[in-house]
Amino acid sequence: MTNAADPAVVVVTARPDPGGLTRLFAASIPTLVVSEPGAALAALAGKAADLVLIEAAPGLDALALIRALRLKPHLARSSILLVAEGDPAEARRRGLEAGATDVVLPPLDASDLALRGRNLIALARAQGAVESQALALSREVERAAAESQEREREIIRRLMLAAEFRDDQAGDHLTRVAGCVLAIADGLGLSEEEGNDIALASTMHDIGKIGVADSILRKPGPLTEPERFEMMQHALRGYRMLHDSPSRLLRLAAEIALTHHERWDGAGYPQGLKGTEIPLPGRITAVADVFDALISARVYKPGWPLERARRFLEEQSGAHFDPDCVAAFLSRWEDVVALVEERPADRAA
């Protein structure tokens, strides 16, 4: 539908008043009359029109004008009525091929022509209404999708709080891991959206530890074999908590929970995956998680200096870790250092 300031009908004719064309719609519909194609193109530059009525005449190339109008996206739904001349069948074929909506030939009947024009105006406006409804629906779908994504993120934030209740240091650890994941994703050339999704999902990599007893989780000395086996179950438990969720982000978090303890050389757990058998989000999170665990104090060890943790990653590239993920991490080293300085890890055990 045209805006209030736009002409509903543009008549292009080289004659002063051919068959009353210029008076067909004046009584009820805003009409603009121009005498040559350039004026028509100028009048419709950036403006819509429901109907463009063009009379072919010597000195007015109606077909070229129709093609030029159809190249303008904002006129794609406008109806074009061509008053042609020459052989009826040929004139109609050429007009429709050029992009005319309808073609009529002399002798003209004013009432018939007005009826055709009104029908074409109604068609253009109906198409405009459909487009407006489609746009409104599209915006509503986008709004609903945004709300759904925010609900997903809120669920993840709440589950992060559950992890923090088990460990006072978990919040900063998860924040630093997510920041390191973003650095690695950026170094790998992943899109911002993909990096953000993996970073958010990575904050749930240890959610399965909710099911591990405090006597194991906070034990200051080495774990026994049964205790170590119980600790290793957190990867499977985290996966089982999340994997069948309808949420795409929670399914991504399930994948990370299951695979972030796998190793590039196949010596990890729980599945013993090797190399690219390990999903990329799990390989990225493995580097970020181990790095932050090394620089953070635990009940059984003090935190390492940053450079020592960096050397460990370099030494384990191609063994414990995906070499590309380590290289991406080191390529963003300054960002990692800034992150740790902003959210420092406790170095004293």
Side-chain angles (χ1 to χ4, degrees), residues 33-54:
V33 180
V34 296
S35 61
E36 51 91 22
L41 291 171
L44 293 169
K47 295 183 178 181
D50 293 323
L51 174 63
V52 181
L53 195 159
I54 304 171

Side-chain angles (χ1 to χ4, degrees), residues 256-300:
I256 291 172
L258 181 65
T259 61
H260 73 285
H261 281 297
E262 301 289 354
R263 289 174 50 115
W264 186 256
D265 59 11
Y269 68 88
Q271 300 176 93
L273 302 179
K274 183 176 182 179
T276 56
E277 293 175 350
I278 309 166
L280 180 59
R283 304 198 309 266
I284 291 173
T285 304
V287 174
D289 181 39
V290 170
F291 173 77
D292 195 74
L294 292 175
I295 66 172
S296 302
R298 295 291 186 262
V299 292
Y300 51 87

Side-chain angles (χ1 to χ4, degrees), residues 160 164 167-179 292 295-296 298 339-340 342-346:
M160 283 174 59
E164 289 185 57
D167 185 347
D168 291 339
Q169 295 179 328
D172 282 343
H173 167 64
L174 297 177
T175 299
R176 288 191 301 271
V177 167
D292 195 74
I295 66 172
S296 302
R298 295 291 186 262
L339 169 68
V340 175
E342 181 182 349
R343 303 294 291 265
D346 186 358

Side-chain angles (χ1 to χ4, degrees), residues 110-156:
S111 60
D112 176 70
L113 193 60
L115 178 60
R116 287 173 183 263
R118 286 194 293 270
N119 287 342
L120 291 175
I121 291 171
L123 174 63
R125 291 180 175 178
Q127 289 174 334
V130 169
E131 290 174 6
S132 296
Q133 291 173 355
L135 180 60
L137 179 60
S138 174
R139 288 173 177 167
E140 181 64 20
V141 169
E142 289 176 0
R143 184 190 63 78
E147 290 180 356
S148 176
Q149 290 174 358
E150 183 53 35
R151 283 194 296 271
E152 288 183 327
R153 284 165 169 75
E154 178 62 17
I155 290 169
I156 292 174

